[in-house]
Amino acid sequence: MTARPRLVLASASPRRRDLLTGIGFTPDLVAPTDIDETERAGELPRDLAVRLTLEKLSAAGHAGDFVLASDTVVGVGRRVLPKTETEDEARACLALLSGRNHRVFTGVAVRAPDGRVAHRLSTTRVAVKRLSAEEVDAYIESGEWQGKAGGYAIQGRFGSHIIQIIGSHTGVMGLPVYETRQLLVGLGYKP
């Protein structure tokens, strides 16, 4: 009797793990990758999300297992917003997002034990209300922006500033669960 292939999540994100588990696909192993996430000159946000997802999948290793990788990029037009590490970065992102629409691109890719790879890109349009200086200050004070693509987390306090989303709410959180399930099932994973 051969062992069942494991499901390896190539991400350190607790949100991705929780979203995956929430749809009945509990990872057997969480094995984050460490790749250079620097955007290339002229690279569009959607292209960056796909490239980083596939690079994470490639770097993950774990041949003989099902491996899932994902990456989220926030874009305003052709501009990629950073995963904010400083208060100044967060304030700049919030100023850019205030009172306008932007897009969140989340790539997801799966490699089957036999080496087959499939991937999808989730694109979600997000409309943010015009933010007052007090609202920006309060959000910065919360610290929720730290390490978040575009400087916000839709599932937290910032959700109260979202007017509308068109697309995948879970994609904005970091893992589009519909696409993820389709990829895993399509490649033969059985939870």
Side-chain angles (χ1 to χ4, degrees):
M1 186 170 177
T2 60
R4 164 178 129 3
R6 298 178 300 176
L7 175 57
V8 178
L9 175 60
S11 174
S13 167
R15 285 174 313 284
R16 286 191 180 113
R17 185 181 60 244
D18 291 347
L19 288 166
L20 191 56
T21 299
I23 60 170
F25 295 91
T26 303
D28 299 298
L29 178 65
V30 174
T33 58
D34 185 22
I35 65 165
D36 180 2
E37 297 189 19
T38 306
E39 70 182 283
R40 296 176 180 158
E43 191 169 34
L44 297 175
R46 70 180 305 110
D47 298 334
L48 177 62
V50 171
R51 180 176 63 80
L52 293 179
T53 299
L54 293 173
E55 285 182 7
K56 287 179 179 183
L57 186 68
S58 178
H62 299 282
D65 289 321
F66 284 93
V67 181
L68 185 144
S70 185
D71 197 80
T72 300
V73 173
V74 175
V76 176
R78 298 174 62 85
R79 182 174 180 178
V80 173
L81 298 189
K83 290 182 181 172
T84 52
E85 301 299 331
T86 68
E87 184 178 313
D88 286 344
E89 281 181 330
R91 285 186 182 280
C93 285
L94 295 177
L96 193 57
L97 297 173
S98 178
R100 67 189 306 181
N101 292 330
H102 64 280
R103 285 189 166 66
V104 178
F105 303 97
T106 300
V108 61
V110 175
R111 186 180 62 237
D114 63 8
R116 289 177 297 146
V117 172
H119 65 93
R120 297 285 181 273
L121 179 68
S122 167
T123 302
T124 303
R125 191 175 75 193
V126 181
V128 178
K129 72 180 277 303
R130 184 162 307 282
L131 301 170
S132 69
E134 294 79 20
E135 288 168 329
V136 170
D137 289 343
Y139 193 68
I140 295 297
E141 175 93 14
S142 77
E144 186 180 85
W145 53 268
Q146 295 176 342
K148 301 294 189 297
Y152 75 91
I154 196 170
Q155 70 275 18
R157 294 176 184 212
F158 199 79
S160 67
H161 302 305
I162 303 295
I163 298 168
Q164 180 184 47
I165 69 166
I166 300 173
S168 172
H169 185 268
T170 60
V172 179
M173 291 172 64
L175 188 71
V177 295
Y178 173 79
E179 291 85 348
T180 299
R181 183 179 191 289
Q182 296 305 309
L183 290 172
L184 285 167
V185 170
L187 287 174
Y189 181 76
K190 296 184 181 11

